[in-house]
Amino acid sequence: MKRLTILFVLFLSILSGCTTTKDYYQSFRGKSEHWSAELIQKGKVEYRDHEQIENHYEMTYEREHTLRLKYIGNEPDLGRTLEYSYDNGSAVREVLEGDPLDVNEVFTLAGSSEGTSHIPKDSDYRPLDNQDSTIEVKVKWNGKEEKIKLKYDRR
């Protein structure tokens, strides 16, 4: 029985050496004259030796991203249409009847992605944005346009 336990532990340690999983959570923040924004990215990346391609990893990833946009200007209303976008998505918020968009609303754009790929083991590929990344958000409202630069938030 003791040999069986040792073999089982050895087998598990060999299997765990073939796969590396990294969970992550990242926040990026920024402000412009009229807007503040926060982008949150969270997910999981898993690497394992590729079974068919030598010196490559098979990479599986899952990522959720949420952009929150808040008006910080002092105009009384935002008009009837708000457009905002960044590399991972875009949205249009439009009021067809009634009052214009509420200046106190927090506008949210959320999405997710997942997939599998293969990369060379010696590559410097990073499947997620790192601390040196700057993410640009474009906002259009009331005939105006602004860009917000989001930088990594260490909090």
Side-chain angles (χ1 to χ4, degrees):
M1 183 70 171
K2 189 173 182 178
R3 277 189 165 165
L4 184 60
T5 304
I6 292 171
L7 284 174
F8 182 72
V9 170
L10 182 62
F11 178 72
L12 282 179
S13 66
I14 289 170
L15 281 180
S16 66
C18 299
T19 302
T20 302
T21 301
K22 295 180 181 179
D23 292 318
Y24 66 92
Y25 174 94
Q26 300 178 123
S27 175
F28 296 82
R29 294 176 189 256
K31 288 184 179 182
S32 63
E33 183 179 348
H34 295 94
W35 296 93
S36 71
E38 177 184 34
L39 174 65
I40 294 174
Q41 296 178 333
K42 58 184 175 179
K44 175 174 72 171
V45 178
E46 185 177 278
Y47 297 91
R48 71 173 50 115
D49 291 336
H50 202 291
E51 293 178 5
Q52 299 169 344
I53 304 174
E54 190 176 323
N55 295 320
H56 277 68
Y57 289 118
E58 180 179 74
M59 179 186 77
T60 304
Y61 65 91
E62 300 170 10
R63 177 168 68 175
E64 295 176 15
H65 45 94
T66 304
L67 174 69
R68 290 187 183 95
L69 193 60
K70 174 83 173 127
Y71 182 71
I72 57 173
N74 47 9
E75 296 176 22
D77 70 68
L78 299 175
R80 296 189 170 281
T81 304
L82 175 70
E83 295 178 42
Y84 48 104
S85 64
Y86 73 110
D87 286 347
N88 287 329
S90 64
V92 176
R93 177 73 198 276
E94 189 169 19
V95 175
L96 300 176
E97 296 180 21
D99 294 331
L101 293 166
D102 184 358
V103 295
N104 296 311
E105 185 173 347
V106 175
F107 302 94
T108 303
L109 173 61
S112 64
S113 58
E114 60 182 57
T116 301
S117 184
H118 61 86
I119 59 171
K121 287 185 177 181
D122 61 354
S123 77
D124 190 25
Y125 176 75
R126 294 185 179 120
L128 30 131
D129 297 306
N130 63 29
Q131 297 177 8
D132 299 328
S133 295
T134 299
I135 299 167
E136 185 175 89
V137 177
K138 295 178 186 175
V139 185
K140 294 180 183 179
W141 81 104
N142 248 354
K144 298 176 181 160
E145 183 175 335
E146 235 170 59
K147 294 178 182 176
I148 308 165
K149 304 273 187 192
L150 305 183
K151 298 203 182 264
Y152 182 76
D153 184 27
R154 295 185 189 280
R155 291 186 228 179

